[in-house]
Amino acid sequence: MKNWIRENPFCLEKSEVSFLWALRLKGLDFLPEFESRVKGKGLIAKEWVDQSKILQHDGVKGFLSHCGWNSVTESISAGVPILAMPFMAEQYLNARFVAEEIGVGLRILSRGGSVRGYVAAEEVEMKARELMGGGKVAEEVSKRVAEWGGAAHDAMKEGGSSWLTLDLLIEDVMEKSTD
């Protein structure tokens, strides 16, 4: 990811969408100049941020994510559409799920349309505009993530399916620990 950031930071700037970019990488020489150019449009956080709280803010309309499962569930639960840009492991499967199976986001593809490989800055720029632009695709993705977010919220509230399943797990563990 570090190499991608060094080579492609300007896709966010060129997309002309407002953004918060959380980075914890050192030695990114381009940042001071980049920050001055995107002032008023982009904000760069260089320390830890509470991703879940940020996603729940009303001003957040999209999330560029590597598609780790925690990030996916936090975004869906907050009702925020996802720009899926996986880097490794199960993230590719999660990105496919997000974009192709449940339709709560858009998939950023590598050059040549493959699922792995080099991601061009122009692809990120185009997909960010598509998701944030308010067109038909953005409306459909927003509608789908609202549906799934509502279902996720219902599952996690007291008496919901996740709540009940956790209760069953706790009961099972308690029974096994007394045996």
Side-chain angles (χ1 to χ4, degrees):
M1 176 145 177
K2 190 173 186 177
N3 288 337
W4 186 88
I5 290 170
R6 282 186 194 283
E7 296 170 16
N8 297 291
F10 309 109
C11 58
L12 292 172
E13 180 181 7
K14 289 179 179 180
S15 72
E16 299 178 359
V17 299
S18 296
F19 64 89
L20 167 64
W21 191 9
L23 289 171
R24 288 184 286 168
L25 301 173
K26 305 277 187 228
L28 299 176
D29 301 339
F30 67 86
L31 273 181
E33 182 185 331
F34 181 73
E35 284 179 294
S36 69
R37 286 198 320 271
V38 298
K39 191 173 184 172
K41 193 68 146 168
L43 177 64
I44 299 173
K46 298 173 195 149
E47 301 293 328
W48 181 88
V49 295
D50 188 333
Q51 178 175 289
S52 184
K53 280 202 188 270
I54 290 170
L55 288 169
Q56 293 170 20
H57 190 280
D58 289 338
V60 176
K61 303 299 181 204
F63 178 37
L64 175 59
S65 175
H66 65 293
C67 287
W69 192 243
N70 286 341
S71 295
V72 168
T73 57
E74 287 175 0
S75 192
I76 292 171
S77 296
V80 175
I82 300 168
L83 277 178
M85 190 168 81
F87 287 98
M88 62 183 190
E90 87 291 352
Q91 296 168 359
Y92 295 99
L93 181 61
N94 296 344
R96 182 175 179 265
F97 178 73
V98 161
E100 298 171 27
E101 299 297 325
I102 64 173
V104 298
L106 302 177
R107 179 75 184 266
I108 295 174
L109 294 174
S110 301
R111 286 202 169 143
S114 70
V115 294
R116 296 175 192 232
Y118 183 77
V119 174
E122 297 80 19
E123 174 75 359
V124 177
E125 176 187 337
M126 179 186 70
K127 293 293 184 174
R129 283 185 183 165
E130 189 174 357
L131 185 69
M132 305 300 286
K136 185 175 180 175
V137 171
E139 288 175 17
E140 182 60 30
V141 170
S142 293
K143 178 182 162 200
R144 299 283 299 160
V145 78
E147 292 168 3
W148 281 95
H153 184 274
D154 290 346
M156 292 185 291
K157 70 182 180 184
E158 187 171 352
S161 61
S162 291
W163 186 285
L164 296 174
T165 301
L166 181 58
D167 279 347
L168 290 172
L169 174 65
I170 292 169
E171 287 175 23
D172 192 45
V173 168
M174 296 297 286
E175 284 177 17
K176 290 195 186 324
S177 69
T178 59
D179 290 346

